[in-house]
Amino acid sequence: MDPASKQAAKYKTQSLIGIINDRMEVGMAKIRGEESAALDVAIIKATLQDEVVPKEKHVRTLKISCSSQSPRQVVNYAIHGLVKRLDENPKAWLVTLKTLIVFHRLMRETDPTFQEELLRYAERTGRHRVLRLDSFADHTTKETWDYSAWIRVYSVYLDERLALFRITHFDPEHEQGVEARNSKLRSCTTAELLDYLPAAQRLLRQLVSCMPEGAAQNNEIALLACSLVLKEVRSVYRIVCEGMMNLMDRIFEMDRGDALKGVELVKENLAVNDRFNAFVSTIGAIQALKGAVQFPPVQPLPSDFLSTLEEYVKDAPKVAGDAGKGGGIGRSNSVAPKVGGGPRLIVGGPIKDSASLPSPSPLSAPAAPPEVDLLGGFETLTVNEPPKAAPNVPAPTA
């Protein structure tokens, strides 16, 4: 028997043993007849070691058990059961990936109290990065290597998603429909912004790293996980844009130390945007996702944006209270007031100015600064299901 056949036989045997063990666990749970039996069955059946996506009825049972109306001990029991699945199957890619998908759906589709309980569980057990599996490896076959690579990047994304909630106490998906001026990163203080925005940028950086490769591009379960990530592109990108707007409103009032941190955040934003464009191109080249995702164009920041900020920081006051003195630049919606009215950053549409202000005469009115919509039409972002092969549509360009 050649090595490839041996690997395939080994993989089939391991999968069969895993399914038998799971079936025995389900039977034992039913025999016990405890109140938790239904929850045990849902956890095991949602993460069975078979190549089928988690069944909706089992995920629905877990969602009900992890809602805000459910007793906290029930939520903790569900979390413990899912973590136990990860611990008992450290090298089984199917169980691991399906468990991560269940965690992701609970984070997305239940209220934020679930993530609060997940953080408490991590604190209580000392497992602060419980979802981070960046060393996971299933060496059974060549295909399982590809699935393992996807699990590593996907798990780190979920870990960064939970880390953002830990820092900001809000979830990007639950911020949908909130006006930009009132959202968390748009309205927070300078100290909060310098804490929140780096976490949001880390999440976006990890999101654009979530690229299935090799066999994972044709696997239904891996593509389901990928579609869940793609559904969050708009919300994650939006909060980063809102944080950038808040930063631009405040950076000309900051002291030199905070302004330097702000410049570094702008540099990170430019770098992530470059990676985002590459991400869009690569996603569009995946056959199974062609036509499933319609990305709008992403507008880059102006070319002189960074140089203007760096020029300001050289002369920025050491104390924030001195901002605006001696030729300093005060707060304004204009990003580059030193160069004659720079571009105005907006998110999801123009900023509405007060209607009570008198309109200047046409002869004396200065030219309006150009508007740069950071969200770039992301209101129109669509991600279609199911994540299976779609009609061959030309890939969207970056």
Side-chain angles (χ1 to χ4, degrees), residues 28-43 61-62 65 70-71 73-75 77-78:
M28 292 298 294
K30 291 180 178 179
I31 290 172
R32 287 196 299 269
E34 300 171 354
E35 293 182 2
S36 60
L39 197 51
D40 289 333
V41 171
I43 291 170
T61 299
L62 292 171
S65 300
S70 183
Q73 61 266 29
V74 174
V75 181
Y77 188 87

PDB file of all heavy atoms in Angstrom, residues 28-43 61-62 65 70-71 73-75 77-78:
ATOM      1  N   MET A  28     -25.078   7.680  26.338  1.00  0.00           N
ATOM      2  CA  MET A  28     -24.910   7.770  27.788  1.00  0.00           C
ATOM      3  C   MET A  28     -25.645   8.977  28.347  1.00  0.00           C
ATOM      4  O   MET A  28     -26.248   8.916  29.422  1.00  0.00           O
ATOM      5  CB  MET A  28     -23.424   7.841  28.132  1.00  0.00           C
ATOM      6  CG  MET A  28     -22.646   6.566  27.839  1.00  0.00           C
ATOM      7  SD  MET A  28     -23.243   5.150  28.791  1.00  0.00           S
ATOM      8  CE  MET A  28     -22.812   5.668  30.450  1.00  0.00           C
ATOM      9  N   ALA A  29     -25.607  10.096  27.613  1.00  0.00           N
ATOM     10  CA  ALA A  29     -26.304  11.299  28.080  1.00  0.00           C
ATOM     11  C   ALA A  29     -27.808  11.062  28.147  1.00  0.00           C
ATOM     12  O   ALA A  29     -28.485  11.497  29.086  1.00  0.00           O
ATOM     13  CB  ALA A  29     -25.987  12.478  27.160  1.00  0.00           C
ATOM     14  N   LYS A  30     -28.333  10.362  27.157  1.00  0.00           N
ATOM     15  CA  LYS A  30     -29.774  10.085  27.152  1.00  0.00           C
ATOM     16  C   LYS A  30     -30.161   9.108  28.264  1.00  0.00           C
ATOM     17  O   LYS A  30     -31.219   9.230  28.882  1.00  0.00           O
ATOM     18  CB  LYS A  30     -30.182   9.518  25.793  1.00  0.00           C
ATOM     19  CG  LYS A  30     -30.103  10.539  24.661  1.00  0.00           C
ATOM     20  CD  LYS A  30     -30.516   9.924  23.337  1.00  0.00           C
ATOM     21  CE  LYS A  30     -30.495  10.960  22.220  1.00  0.00           C
ATOM     22  NZ  LYS A  30     -30.868  10.377  20.904  1.00  0.00           N
ATOM     23  N   ILE A  31     -29.282   8.138  28.534  1.00  0.00           N
ATOM     24  CA  ILE A  31     -29.572   7.161  29.584  1.00  0.00           C
ATOM     25  C   ILE A  31     -29.597   7.824  30.956  1.00  0.00           C
ATOM     26  O   ILE A  31     -30.431   7.507  31.810  1.00  0.00           O
ATOM     27  CB  ILE A  31     -28.527   6.016  29.551  1.00  0.00           C
ATOM     28  CG1 ILE A  31     -28.726   5.156  28.285  1.00  0.00           C
ATOM     29  CG2 ILE A  31     -28.632   5.148  30.796  1.00  0.00           C
ATOM     30  CD1 ILE A  31     -27.640   4.132  28.077  1.00  0.00           C
ATOM     31  N   ARG A  32     -28.673   8.774  31.179  1.00  0.00           N
ATOM     32  CA  ARG A  32     -28.616   9.445  32.487  1.00  0.00           C
ATOM     33  C   ARG A  32     -29.920  10.169  32.774  1.00  0.00           C
ATOM     34  O   ARG A  32     -30.347  10.268  33.934  1.00  0.00           O
ATOM     35  CB  ARG A  32     -27.442  10.424  32.522  1.00  0.00           C
ATOM     36  CG  ARG A  32     -26.082   9.756  32.626  1.00  0.00           C
ATOM     37  CD  ARG A  32     -25.020  10.758  33.046  1.00  0.00           C
ATOM     38  NE  ARG A  32     -24.872  11.843  32.094  1.00  0.00           N
ATOM     39  CZ  ARG A  32     -24.017  11.845  31.075  1.00  0.00           C
ATOM     40  NH1 ARG A  32     -23.253  10.771  30.859  1.00  0.00           N
ATOM     41  NH2 ARG A  32     -23.930  12.874  30.260  1.00  0.00           N
ATOM     42  N   GLY A  33     -30.537  10.730  31.728  1.00  0.00           N
ATOM     43  CA  GLY A  33     -31.828  11.376  31.907  1.00  0.00           C
ATOM     44  C   GLY A  33     -31.784  12.614  32.773  1.00  0.00           C
ATOM     45  O   GLY A  33     -32.802  13.014  33.336  1.00  0.00           O
ATOM     46  N   GLU A  34     -30.633  13.231  32.927  1.00  0.00           N
ATOM     47  CA  GLU A  34     -30.525  14.431  33.740  1.00  0.00           C
ATOM     48  C   GLU A  34     -31.094  15.627  32.985  1.00  0.00           C
ATOM     49  O   GLU A  34     -31.342  15.583  31.773  1.00  0.00           O
ATOM     50  CB  GLU A  34     -29.055  14.669  34.094  1.00  0.00           C
ATOM     51  CG  GLU A  34     -28.435  13.515  34.884  1.00  0.00           C
ATOM     52  CD  GLU A  34     -26.927  13.678  35.023  1.00  0.00           C
ATOM     53  OE1 GLU A  34     -26.380  14.607  34.406  1.00  0.00           O
ATOM     54  OE2 GLU A  34     -26.316  12.854  35.719  1.00  0.00           O
ATOM     55  N   GLU A  35     -31.281  16.736  33.704  1.00  0.00           N
ATOM     56  CA  GLU A  35     -31.801  17.943  33.075  1.00  0.00           C
ATOM     57  C   GLU A  35     -30.842  18.470  32.011  1.00  0.00           C
ATOM     58  O   GLU A  35     -31.258  19.100  31.041  1.00  0.00           O
ATOM     59  CB  GLU A  35     -32.043  19.027  34.140  1.00  0.00           C
ATOM     60  CG  GLU A  35     -33.166  18.687  35.108  1.00  0.00           C
ATOM     61  CD  GLU A  35     -33.407  19.801  36.097  1.00  0.00           C
ATOM     62  OE1 GLU A  35     -32.729  20.841  35.992  1.00  0.00           O
ATOM     63  OE2 GLU A  35     -34.281  19.645  36.967  1.00  0.00           O
ATOM     64  N   SER A  36     -29.573  18.180  32.195  1.00  0.00           N
ATOM     65  CA  SER A  36     -28.566  18.674  31.258  1.00  0.00           C
ATOM     66  C   SER A  36     -28.390  17.757  30.055  1.00  0.00           C
ATOM     67  O   SER A  36     -27.579  18.051  29.180  1.00  0.00           O
ATOM     68  CB  SER A  36     -27.222  18.821  31.975  1.00  0.00           C
ATOM     69  OG  SER A  36     -26.800  17.565  32.490  1.00  0.00           O
ATOM     70  N   ALA A  37     -29.139  16.661  29.996  1.00  0.00           N
ATOM     71  CA  ALA A  37     -28.940  15.681  28.923  1.00  0.00           C
ATOM     72  C   ALA A  37     -29.172  16.298  27.551  1.00  0.00           C
ATOM     73  O   ALA A  37     -28.412  16.056  26.605  1.00  0.00           O
ATOM     74  CB  ALA A  37     -29.867  14.488  29.126  1.00  0.00           C
ATOM     75  N   ALA A  38     -30.229  17.106  27.413  1.00  0.00           N
ATOM     76  CA  ALA A  38     -30.525  17.727  26.115  1.00  0.00           C
ATOM     77  C   ALA A  38     -29.389  18.637  25.675  1.00  0.00           C
ATOM     78  O   ALA A  38     -29.040  18.696  24.486  1.00  0.00           O
ATOM     79  CB  ALA A  38     -31.834  18.508  26.200  1.00  0.00           C
ATOM     80  N   LEU A  39     -28.791  19.333  26.630  1.00  0.00           N
ATOM     81  CA  LEU A  39     -27.669  20.217  26.310  1.00  0.00           C
ATOM     82  C   LEU A  39     -26.434  19.412  25.929  1.00  0.00           C
ATOM     83  O   LEU A  39     -25.719  19.766  24.979  1.00  0.00           O
ATOM     84  CB  LEU A  39     -27.375  21.121  27.512  1.00  0.00           C
ATOM     85  CG  LEU A  39     -26.524  22.380  27.263  1.00  0.00           C
ATOM     86  CD1 LEU A  39     -27.055  23.185  26.108  1.00  0.00           C
ATOM     87  CD2 LEU A  39     -26.477  23.224  28.527  1.00  0.00           C
ATOM     88  N   ASP A  40     -26.192  18.321  26.639  1.00  0.00           N
ATOM     89  CA  ASP A  40     -25.060  17.444  26.293  1.00  0.00           C
ATOM     90  C   ASP A  40     -25.208  16.889  24.879  1.00  0.00           C
ATOM     91  O   ASP A  40     -24.249  16.866  24.101  1.00  0.00           O
ATOM     92  CB  ASP A  40     -24.973  16.282  27.289  1.00  0.00           C
ATOM     93  CG  ASP A  40     -24.503  16.719  28.664  1.00  0.00           C
ATOM     94  OD1 ASP A  40     -23.773  17.730  28.734  1.00  0.00           O
ATOM     95  OD2 ASP A  40     -24.864  16.068  29.658  1.00  0.00           O
ATOM     96  N   VAL A  41     -26.410  16.455  24.556  1.00  0.00           N
ATOM     97  CA  VAL A  41     -26.657  15.893  23.228  1.00  0.00           C
ATOM     98  C   VAL A  41     -26.449  16.957  22.151  1.00  0.00           C
ATOM     99  O   VAL A  41     -25.837  16.698  21.112  1.00  0.00           O
ATOM    100  CB  VAL A  41     -28.083  15.313  23.155  1.00  0.00           C
ATOM    101  CG1 VAL A  41     -28.429  14.933  21.719  1.00  0.00           C
ATOM    102  CG2 VAL A  41     -28.218  14.105  24.065  1.00  0.00           C
ATOM    103  N   ALA A  42     -26.942  18.175  22.399  1.00  0.00           N
ATOM    104  CA  ALA A  42     -26.791  19.254  21.408  1.00  0.00           C
ATOM    105  C   ALA A  42     -25.325  19.589  21.183  1.00  0.00           C
ATOM    106  O   ALA A  42     -24.889  19.815  20.043  1.00  0.00           O
ATOM    107  CB  ALA A  42     -27.562  20.490  21.875  1.00  0.00           C
ATOM    108  N   ILE A  43     -24.526  19.630  22.256  1.00  0.00           N
ATOM    109  CA  ILE A  43     -23.104  19.955  22.131  1.00  0.00           C
ATOM    110  C   ILE A  43     -22.384  18.887  21.305  1.00  0.00           C
ATOM    111  O   ILE A  43     -21.611  19.203  20.390  1.00  0.00           O
ATOM    112  CB  ILE A  43     -22.460  20.088  23.530  1.00  0.00           C
ATOM    113  CG1 ILE A  43     -22.984  21.336  24.236  1.00  0.00           C
ATOM    114  CG2 ILE A  43     -20.937  20.138  23.424  1.00  0.00           C
ATOM    115  CD1 ILE A  43     -22.587  21.431  25.694  1.00  0.00           C
ATOM    116  N   THR A  61     -30.696  24.935  19.936  1.00  0.00           N
ATOM    117  CA  THR A  61     -30.779  24.536  21.349  1.00  0.00           C
ATOM    118  C   THR A  61     -29.724  25.249  22.181  1.00  0.00           C
ATOM    119  O   THR A  61     -30.001  25.734  23.296  1.00  0.00           O
ATOM    120  CB  THR A  61     -30.602  23.013  21.476  1.00  0.00           C
ATOM    121  OG1 THR A  61     -31.645  22.352  20.767  1.00  0.00           O
ATOM    122  CG2 THR A  61     -30.624  22.572  22.935  1.00  0.00           C
ATOM    123  N   LEU A  62     -28.509  25.330  21.647  1.00  0.00           N
ATOM    124  CA  LEU A  62     -27.425  26.007  22.364  1.00  0.00           C
ATOM    125  C   LEU A  62     -27.676  27.507  22.457  1.00  0.00           C
ATOM    126  O   LEU A  62     -27.367  28.132  23.474  1.00  0.00           O
ATOM    127  CB  LEU A  62     -26.094  25.727  21.661  1.00  0.00           C
ATOM    128  CG  LEU A  62     -25.604  24.281  21.748  1.00  0.00           C
ATOM    129  CD1 LEU A  62     -24.402  24.058  20.839  1.00  0.00           C
ATOM    130  CD2 LEU A  62     -25.242  23.921  23.180  1.00  0.00           C
ATOM    131  N   SER A  65     -30.079  28.089  25.212  1.00  0.00           N
ATOM    132  CA  SER A  65     -29.434  27.845  26.508  1.00  0.00           C
ATOM    133  C   SER A  65     -28.468  28.965  26.890  1.00  0.00           C
ATOM    134  O   SER A  65     -28.192  29.149  28.079  1.00  0.00           O
ATOM    135  CB  SER A  65     -28.681  26.513  26.478  1.00  0.00           C
ATOM    136  OG  SER A  65     -29.568  25.443  26.213  1.00  0.00           O
ATOM    137  N   SER A  70     -31.552  32.760  30.052  1.00  0.00           N
ATOM    138  CA  SER A  70     -31.177  31.466  30.603  1.00  0.00           C
ATOM    139  C   SER A  70     -30.365  31.649  31.884  1.00  0.00           C
ATOM    140  O   SER A  70     -29.586  32.600  32.005  1.00  0.00           O
ATOM    141  CB  SER A  70     -30.345  30.699  29.570  1.00  0.00           C
ATOM    142  OG  SER A  70     -30.018  29.409  30.036  1.00  0.00           O
ATOM    143  N   PRO A  71     -30.529  30.765  32.885  1.00  0.00           N
ATOM    144  CA  PRO A  71     -29.716  30.856  34.108  1.00  0.00           C
ATOM    145  C   PRO A  71     -28.229  30.804  33.787  1.00  0.00           C
ATOM    146  O   PRO A  71     -27.797  30.106  32.869  1.00  0.00           O
ATOM    147  CB  PRO A  71     -30.158  29.624  34.915  1.00  0.00           C
ATOM    148  CG  PRO A  71     -31.517  29.288  34.392  1.00  0.00           C
ATOM    149  CD  PRO A  71     -31.498  29.651  32.945  1.00  0.00           C
ATOM    150  N   GLN A  73     -25.787  29.437  35.294  1.00  0.00           N
ATOM    151  CA  GLN A  73     -25.135  28.133  35.426  1.00  0.00           C
ATOM    152  C   GLN A  73     -25.343  27.285  34.177  1.00  0.00           C
ATOM    153  O   GLN A  73     -24.489  26.466  33.821  1.00  0.00           O
ATOM    154  CB  GLN A  73     -25.624  27.390  36.677  1.00  0.00           C
ATOM    155  CG  GLN A  73     -27.098  27.080  36.708  1.00  0.00           C
ATOM    156  CD  GLN A  73     -27.883  28.150  37.436  1.00  0.00           C
ATOM    157  OE1 GLN A  73     -27.489  29.313  37.455  1.00  0.00           O
ATOM    158  NE2 GLN A  73     -28.989  27.751  38.067  1.00  0.00           N
ATOM    159  N   VAL A  74     -26.472  27.491  33.485  1.00  0.00           N
ATOM    160  CA  VAL A  74     -26.716  26.766  32.239  1.00  0.00           C
ATOM    161  C   VAL A  74     -25.769  27.266  31.151  1.00  0.00           C
ATOM    162  O   VAL A  74     -25.207  26.476  30.386  1.00  0.00           O
ATOM    163  CB  VAL A  74     -28.186  26.918  31.811  1.00  0.00           C
ATOM    164  CG1 VAL A  74     -28.412  26.279  30.444  1.00  0.00           C
ATOM    165  CG2 VAL A  74     -29.114  26.311  32.849  1.00  0.00           C
ATOM    166  N   VAL A  75     -25.581  28.585  31.077  1.00  0.00           N
ATOM    167  CA  VAL A  75     -24.645  29.162  30.099  1.00  0.00           C
ATOM    168  C   VAL A  75     -23.239  28.634  30.352  1.00  0.00           C
ATOM    169  O   VAL A  75     -22.528  28.224  29.419  1.00  0.00           O
ATOM    170  CB  VAL A  75     -24.665  30.701  30.165  1.00  0.00           C
ATOM    171  CG1 VAL A  75     -23.698  31.290  29.129  1.00  0.00           C
ATOM    172  CG2 VAL A  75     -26.069  31.234  29.924  1.00  0.00           C
ATOM    173  N   TYR A  77     -22.424  25.886  31.826  1.00  0.00           N
ATOM    174  CA  TYR A  77     -22.388  24.457  31.500  1.00  0.00           C
ATOM    175  C   TYR A  77     -22.171  24.257  30.003  1.00  0.00           C
ATOM    176  O   TYR A  77     -21.388  23.386  29.577  1.00  0.00           O
ATOM    177  CB  TYR A  77     -23.692  23.789  31.939  1.00  0.00           C
ATOM    178  CG  TYR A  77     -23.669  22.287  31.819  1.00  0.00           C
ATOM    179  CD1 TYR A  77     -23.191  21.483  32.851  1.00  0.00           C
ATOM    180  CD2 TYR A  77     -24.125  21.652  30.660  1.00  0.00           C
ATOM    181  CE1 TYR A  77     -23.164  20.094  32.740  1.00  0.00           C
ATOM    182  CE2 TYR A  77     -24.102  20.266  30.536  1.00  0.00           C
ATOM    183  CZ  TYR A  77     -23.621  19.497  31.581  1.00  0.00           C
ATOM    184  OH  TYR A  77     -23.584  18.133  31.460  1.00  0.00           O
ATOM    185  N   ALA A  78     -22.855  25.066  29.187  1.00  0.00           N
ATOM    186  CA  ALA A  78     -22.683  24.968  27.730  1.00  0.00           C
ATOM    187  C   ALA A  78     -21.263  25.346  27.320  1.00  0.00           C
ATOM    188  O   ALA A  78     -20.640  24.680  26.484  1.00  0.00           O
ATOM    189  CB  ALA A  78     -23.700  25.862  27.028  1.00  0.00           C
TER     190      ALA A  78
END
